[in-house]
């Protein structure tokens, strides 16, 4: 007999009210994705991170047993969304802290951060304002018997008159349309001219004057977060910004795991679809919010680590994680954005900034460009702390770089109450005279978790208060704020309140954070020592990354993440991946400079460096085994140092 | 009941012995194409030219009645191949004279003609041997942990090492395939690198060393005939050549009529399909004959008049015939050949040489390039006699050009027994002491018709013998060779023989030829007079065109086609459209030079020139109304001049 078609199940997600339908047997995580509800999931749906907890209010589900849920949670109908299959219509409540946030915050914070960049002054600074994609309004005289220049050459002459362009190219498609288009527009048209290397391509011709409608999107394609800025090229201003989590996170926290996943599941296409979808979502959001047509966006410039840019373009990333550790392309030529599935003007271009190699991506090159490290007479250090910790040391004379797999702890991942810099994130922690802590959240909201700077501050505060010792272990077993939680020992930062879970930091969180900072510091140490540089020679340290709005550099020194140099030489420069890509999109000279920078940087492979592992082990203390490296910290630690030292003995 | 599958019919063509199979109902012409037997067919299979006669030796066929076969021919089992359907296995005899000679003749003749070109010495002469499309064999070392250059940059480095290339571009498609391809080929690959302006594009990568397999096809896209040469770029030699009629001829003799037809019937697409089909046929024939794969042909360079290049690329040609008389593009950027439907390597490029404007096409620019007129210290005249007669006057100082619609008479079209320069074509006519004529045919075969030089010689001979007067009219009404034919008065050159029709020249043929030569001479006269140049100042006259192997310049002067200057300054240079395009395909510097030449040439619009019509009317005599312009002719005509002059009085 004919098979009866089973009815789809209706799933409602509270408190957002978003709905979807899925066939019975789908997981709640799949339903959430369809509904546009983004749940935190670090393990990518494999059921071992325990982040995707939701409450099933009504309806029938099926889940395998798991140790990731406490008996109390099971009683409260809490399930793991990725492991739970839908059997009927459901109403689900998603705890607010488990939704991935998207946020306005980025714009405000960037405005603040970029003010610290030494020269983000396109047009006035080193780089002339010459966008990669120009829209040139051309008012040509129609041909006459006295002026028999052909349409194509007439167009070229007008373009050359309107803008200094080097070699020009035109696609066949344009040529086919040209006569009718010019005739109908009475020779008043706008040429979209895109620069690729030394060549300018006429990518499209629009009737009339559309030159005011020329936008670029600049994207920082991060492993954990994807940030996009919308730039109005007619006025050279950033008009909006938006961020989201990289939805590849379902397939692993770091890009190495994602490459492995893609290899094992033949999922490179899926990886690309995910990240392209994220980028398209950001672009769509920006365009809708600003009321502009996608056809007005004629360029996208991306920077990111090399694996991410490979995923974005579906270039083979497999040898990034395997010998000989090379990318398919460190320099990716501009392509039509549509070829990669990115939805802007159909003929618009996608530019990817150049990378140094497999482990030092275009985000770092963008950072060196944005901070002007490449032209500084004195030595500087550039540190980008994201899912990985990349470090550049150099000046206008030479540049060396390295990458440590710091892990995404400071991006809030792998930390129980970690979150990204969004409203409600604790971004600053102050130790009170009474030995307590006060918390400052983004937007002044009730604390929901800790962003990068908050985590860094907590670590410093716990150390300062003696709650943890220099190995990071909890040192005051009788402290009432210390308890045995589901993930082992945890310290309560913000106690539970009616309807709100407490915010805690676990022993495992602290170990993760220390490993992250140790990776960064060890990389710095190896570069300094390998080049015979003493920390005091550093004229500047630029710290980039998605920490939040604010970084207390004294605390970064206190925990041993940054070398102990005068704090006025340390600059928190925010998202320089975006800043550098923005410079490139606004000035082809800046892009050319980025190519030179990528070319000039010498890569140090830390994994094969004889001193790295030792340096890393030494840095796995707060601040370091060798306190002589941190004289200012030693001084401050002195009173509290006794007991900490004792614990170690 | 099930339909019985009808067996294919086996067709054998004698004397070649070539075989094929076709389904019943196919035409013999289709079978011939499949078998690789190229039959003469001017009408393209429409059954009205009567050129594709074959003998059916055995087997069953079906044909409609036709007036194109004499009763005797029908009795001899002669049929029109294009109109005759195959009903069974057949044995067919193809009369040798009806096979489209696949032109070794062209190659030989070109070898002969090009020897007159002042500098066709690519590699040794002014232009270095740097083909537009290079195949570079790259033997790269695979990446190691000590050499972590990415695949894309590794490729670029290897290309730059193998060849001096300026800016490089790569398509997205190449990038996607690159890692797997390099890996499988163990980093031993061949890069196909195409030059476009100042940029080199990596158009494809092939595993192993395929650099020996790099061919270019050079095409002269004429209004009446299309000629293609196959060039082996690995050895810089022309290996074969082939020609065919332009099958657009169904839509009109000249390109203006074809534009009108296409406009009226919305047939621009059809026009393109026709000419692209012709070019593809030539390429296919050359490739099959030389046993090379189409994938080994990575470039096609075309020259032709501007309307033809527009038809070829389906660019709008309508304003070529209408005010303001401009093309869509005088300079057409290189495109992928496949985009225009031309079948070579899928990623191969189509280059079109630059034109001056609507009426002076890239064939003329190619001619100026090939003759080196552009760099000569003294003044030269370049004359290309095809369907139109274009004239260039100039030196390294300046160049002017003009076009007269001469008509295709000297290409054999519009002339009853005209044909192209193929075996059996009368190419030379000598007046005997007895007042008769002897004929020299290409290949020494029985005369089948007259090619351009034969027509020119006949005209001169008829004038010399007094058969025609200086207006071109038959002057000896009692001559037994003169008769009233189906097309009016005609003069028998070669009498009928068993199985062979006579070869005649009609009054209308002569009028056509005189109009053609008058158009050319008038254009020369206007350019000379407008620039204040006296004929004796000309250091050289280069005569180009598809006349045949040989041009008797004295006869060209005798009929008043060329100015009367010492004959040792007049050079018959053959098909310079092919010669110039070949120089371009072998040297990017030559193509760049062609662009400069197109830029430098000043166009004279004869239609709007006050003196042209008078000059044309004066030149409508043999040699001219003003005999003072032709002192050498006046001298020779003197004895015979009497009666001719009398007729006119």
């Amino acid at each position: 007999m004919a098979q009866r078609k089973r009815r789809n199940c209706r799933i409602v997600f509270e408190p957002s009210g978003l709905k979807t339908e899925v066939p019975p047997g789908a997981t709640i995580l799949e339903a959430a994705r369809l509904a546009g509800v983004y749940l935190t999931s670090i393990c990518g749906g494999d059921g071992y991170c325990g982040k995707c907890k939701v409450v099933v209010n009504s309806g029938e589900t099926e889940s395998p047993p798991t140790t990731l849920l406490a008996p109390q949670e099971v009683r409260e109908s809490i399930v793991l969304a990725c492991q739970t299959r839908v059997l009927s219509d459901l109403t689900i409540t998603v705890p607010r802290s488990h939704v991935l946030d998207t946020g306005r915050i980025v714009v405000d914070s960037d405005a603040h951060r970029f003010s610290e960049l030494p020269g983000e002054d396109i047009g006035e600074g080193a780089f002339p304002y010459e966008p990669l994609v120009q829209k040139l309004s051309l008012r040509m005289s129609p041909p006459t018997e006295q002026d028999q220049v052909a349409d194509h050459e007439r167009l070229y002459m007008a373009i050359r008159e309107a803008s200094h362009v080097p070699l020009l190219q035109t696609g066949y498609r344009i040529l086919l349309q040209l006569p009718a288009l010019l005739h109908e527009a009475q020779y008043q048209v706008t040429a979209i001219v895109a620069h690729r290397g030394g060549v300018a391509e006429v990518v499209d011709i629009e009737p009339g004057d559309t030159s005011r409608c020329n936008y670029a999107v600049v994207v920082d394609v991060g492993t954990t977060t994807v940030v996009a800025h919308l730039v109005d090229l007619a006025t050279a201003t950033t008009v909006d910004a938006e961020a989201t989590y990289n939805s590849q996170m379902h397939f692993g926290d770091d890009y190495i795991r994602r490459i492995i996943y893609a290899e094992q599941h033949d999922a490179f296409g899926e990886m690309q679809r995910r990240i392209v979808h994220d980028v398209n979502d950001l672009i769509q959001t920006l365009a809708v919010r600003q009321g502009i047509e996608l056809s007005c966006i004629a360029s996208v410039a991306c920077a990111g680590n090399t694996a991410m840019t490979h995923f974005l373009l579906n270039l083979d990333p497999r040898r990034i994680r395997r010998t000989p550790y090379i990318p398919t392309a460190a320099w990716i030529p501009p392509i039509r954005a549509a070829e990669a599935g990115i939805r802007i003007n159909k003929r618009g271009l996608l530019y990817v900034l150049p990378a140094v190699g497999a482990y030092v991506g275009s985000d770092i090159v963008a950072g060196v460009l944005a901070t002007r490290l490449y032209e500084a007479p004195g030595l500087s250090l550039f540190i980008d702390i994201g899912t990985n910790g990349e470090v550049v040391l150099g000046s206008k004379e030479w540049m060396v770089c390295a990458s440590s797999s710091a892990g995404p702890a400071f991006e809030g991942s792998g930390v129980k109450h970690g979150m990204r810099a969004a409203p409600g994130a604790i971004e600053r922690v102050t130790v009170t005279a009474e030995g307590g802590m006060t918390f400052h959240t983004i937007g002044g909201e009730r604390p929901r978790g800790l962003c990068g700077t908050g985590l860094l501050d907590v670590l410093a505060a716990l150390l300062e208060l003696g709650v943890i010792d220099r190995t990071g272990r909890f040192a005051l077993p009788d402290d009432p704020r210390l308890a045995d939680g589901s993930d082992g020992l945890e310290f309560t930062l913000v106690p539970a309140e009616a309807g709100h879970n407490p915010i805690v930091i676990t022993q495992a969180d602290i170990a993760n954070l220390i490993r992250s900072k140790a990776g960064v510091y060890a990389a710095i140490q190896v570069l300094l020592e390998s080049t015979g540089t003493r920390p005091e020679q550093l004229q500047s340290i630029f710290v980039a990354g998605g920490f939040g709005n604010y970084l207390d550099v004294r605390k970064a020194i206190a925990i041993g993440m940054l070398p102990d140099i005068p704090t006025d030489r340390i600059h928190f420069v925010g998202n320089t991946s975006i800043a550098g890509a923005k410079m490139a999109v606004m000035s082809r000279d800046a892009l050319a400079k980025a190519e030179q920078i990528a070319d000039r940087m010498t890569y140090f492979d830390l994994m094969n460096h004889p001193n790295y592992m030792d340096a890393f082990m030494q840095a796995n203390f707060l601040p370091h085994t060798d306190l002589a490296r941190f004289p200012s910290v030693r001084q401050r630690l002195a009173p509290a140092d006794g007991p900490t030292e004792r614990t170690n003995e």
Side-chain angles (χ1 to χ4, degrees), chain A:
Chain A
M1 303 301 280
Q3 209 181 356
R4 198 150 52 101
K5 202 186 160 203
R6 289 187 299 169
R7 193 179 63 81
N8 276 351
C9 303
R10 255 166 276 160
I11 318 291
V12 182
F13 290 92
E14 301 293 357
S16 64
L18 290 167
K19 290 171 198 168
T20 190
E21 292 200 3
V22 291
T27 67
I28 294 176
L29 186 61
E30 286 161 358
R33 277 180 205 152
L34 276 174
V37 175
Y38 290 91
L39 297 173
T40 312
S41 168
I42 288 178
C43 70
D46 287 349
Y48 65 75
C49 76
K51 288 273 183 187
C52 62
K53 291 173 190 170
V54 294
V55 184
V56 179
N57 297 322
S58 70
E60 209 182 326
T61 62
E62 180 182 70
S63 334
T66 174
T67 58
L68 291 167
L69 294 170
Q72 174 62 24
E73 289 178 318
V74 173
R75 276 192 295 276
E76 288 170 0
S77 296
I78 291 174
V79 300
L80 297 181
C82 71
Q83 298 295 303
T84 304
R85 298 198 174 276
V86 172
L87 297 180
S88 73
D89 293 350
L90 300 179
T91 311
I92 303 286
T93 295
V94 182
R96 176 133 167 65
S97 63
H98 290 165
V99 186
L100 289 182
D101 268 283
T102 56
R104 305 280 320 164
I105 190 70
V106 182
V107 184
D108 302 338
S109 63
D110 277 345
H112 166 74
R113 287 174 198 162
F114 290 175
S115 63
E116 290 218 34
L117 285 179
E120 205 238 352
D121 42 355
I122 293 281
E124 295 163 16
F127 302 113
Y129 183 69
E130 282 178 334
L132 291 178
V133 175
Q134 292 177 285
K135 273 196 168 181
L136 303 173
S137 170
L138 307 174
R139 306 176 73 78
M140 295 174 270
S141 345
T144 62
E145 285 186 50
Q146 284 67 50
D147 171 13
Q148 293 182 322
V149 173
D151 283 340
H152 184 231
E153 286 79 56
R154 187 171 298 269
L155 179 74
Y156 271 28
M157 285 165 66
I159 290 173
R160 292 218 163 88
E161 208 168 289
S163 166
H164 164 70
V165 292
L167 301 168
L168 265 174
Q169 288 184 339
T170 327
Y172 185 35
R173 210 192 61 102
I174 303 280
L175 266 189
L176 289 175
Q177 300 174 336
L178 195 60
L181 201 150
L182 290 182
H183 180 74
E184 278 159 31
Q186 296 179 295
Y187 287 82
Q188 313 297 300
V189 299
T190 301
I192 307 185
V193 177
H195 294 269
R196 325 183 171 210
V199 186
E201 187 201 342
V202 182
V203 295
D204 214 353
I205 306 287
E206 296 174 342
D209 182 357
T210 63
S211 61
R212 297 286 308 166
C213 151
N214 187 17
Y215 291 84
V217 170
V218 177
V219 186
D220 169 35
V221 190
T223 307
T224 306
T225 57
V226 185
V227 183
H229 285 209
L230 181 67
V231 179
D232 182 348
L233 292 174
T235 58
T237 51
T238 301
V239 292
D240 201 352
E242 184 61 81
T244 185
Y245 278 103
N246 185 328
S247 61
Q248 293 176 336
M249 277 169 68
H250 296 294
F251 304 116
D253 263 7
D254 61 63
Y255 60 71
I256 296 293
R257 282 199 215 162
R258 292 182 204 167
I259 295 172
I260 294 170
Y261 178 91
E263 264 190 272
Q264 288 174 344
H265 298 81
D266 194 15
F268 290 104
E270 171 69 10
M271 284 293 177
Q272 185 192 29
R273 275 190 295 280
R274 293 247 170 191
I275 183 63
V276 166
H277 179 268
D278 292 341
V279 172
N280 280 336
D281 261 7
L282 291 173
I283 294 173
Q284 181 71 28
T285 303
L286 291 168
V288 168
R289 199 155 61 206
Q290 296 300 324
I292 63 169
E293 300 288 327
L294 288 183
S295 62
C296 289
I297 303 173
S299 48
V300 173
C302 292
N305 64 59
T306 304
M308 282 307 125
T309 56
H310 276 51
F311 279 134
L312 183 71
L313 276 87
N314 202 14
L315 301 181
D316 188 345
R318 285 177 293 182
R319 283 168 311 161
I320 286 176
R321 77 168 190 93
R322 300 212 155 105
T323 176
Y325 309 111
I326 63 160
T328 291
W331 178 77
I332 298 172
I335 65 167
R336 226 164 280 294
E339 286 188 276
I342 291 178
R343 289 197 299 270
I344 55 168
N345 182 305
K346 278 177 198 157
R347 307 269 302 165
L349 293 203
L350 169 63
Y351 295 86
V352 178
L353 270 71
V356 176
Y359 297 112
V360 177
S362 52
D363 48 350
I364 304 311
V365 173
V368 171
L369 178 69
T371 56
R372 300 282 170 88
L373 181 148
Y374 66 90
E375 61 173 15
L379 284 169
S380 305
L381 198 58
F382 170 81
I383 305 165
D384 190 5
I385 298 165
T387 311
N388 296 283
E390 291 95 344
V391 179
V392 181
L393 170 65
S395 66
K396 66 176 182 176
E397 306 294 339
W398 50 262
M399 290 188 281
V400 294
C401 60
S403 172
S404 74
S405 31
F410 285 101
E411 290 188 303
S413 191
V415 173
K416 187 163 184 174
H417 286 131
M419 65 180 286
R420 67 184 201 81
I426 295 170
E427 63 167 353
R428 206 184 304 189
V429 181
T430 319
V431 171
T432 61
E434 300 80 36
M437 289 183 265
T438 59
F439 302 100
H440 179 267
T441 65
I442 296 176
E445 299 191 9
R446 194 189 174 285
R448 290 167 50 210
L450 296 130
C451 71
T453 52
L455 288 166
L456 195 148
D457 277 14
V458 161
L459 207 58
L462 295 177
L463 180 65
E464 185 178 340
L465 294 170
V467 175
I468 56 174
D469 62 21
R470 284 184 51 217
T471 69
R473 282 194 219 102
F474 288 120
L476 307 170
D478 301 331
D479 192 308
R481 292 166 295 184
L482 207 61
D484 218 349
S486 56
D487 301 318
L489 265 187
E490 63 185 32
F491 183 85
T492 299
L493 297 168
V494 181
E497 268 180 38
H500 295 285
N501 292 324
I503 294 174
V504 304
I505 188 155
T506 71
Q507 186 69 74
D509 291 345
I510 293 169
N512 264 343
L513 290 166
I514 293 178
R515 267 199 301 278
S516 279
K517 80 93 190 170
V520 172
Y521 187 81
I524 296 171
Q525 185 177 324
V526 168
L527 288 191
L528 289 174
E529 288 174 0
S530 297
T531 58
T533 307
R534 282 165 290 108
E536 56 270 29
Q537 285 179 269
L538 295 173
Q539 300 303 305
S540 309
I541 296 181
F542 300 107
V543 185
F547 279 110
N549 293 328
Y550 159 92
L551 178 79
D552 187 337
V553 293
R554 285 165 309 159
K555 293 182 181 164
I557 295 170
I559 66 163
M561 180 188 267
L562 301 181
D564 194 356
I565 68 168
T567 56
D568 61 355
R569 297 195 204 163
I570 304 180
H571 311 279
F572 179 50
V573 287
N575 190 333
T576 51
S577 177
I578 282 280
K582 201 180 286 179
M583 289 165 76
V585 96
M586 293 206 251
S587 175
R588 48 197 210 233
D589 284 6
L591 181 59
K593 182 57 77 182
E595 285 162 15
Q596 289 170 23
I597 290 169
D599 222 40
R600 276 184 53 202
M601 282 162 79
T602 305
Y603 174 66
F604 271 62
D605 180 4
L606 295 182
M607 288 308 115
N608 289 319
H609 197 283
N611 301 339
Y612 179 71
M613 207 30 81
D614 286 349
F616 178 70
M617 296 312 290
Q618 292 161 17
N620 253 294
F621 285 80
L622 296 170
H624 197 273
T625 50
D626 179 10
L627 275 179
R629 289 173 178 272
F630 290 86
S632 80
V633 184
R634 169 147 62 177
Q635 225 167 12
R636 277 188 289 119
L637 273 184
D641 212 22
T644 312
E645 288 290 304
R646 260 205 311 280
T647 315
N648 274 342
E649 280 163 9

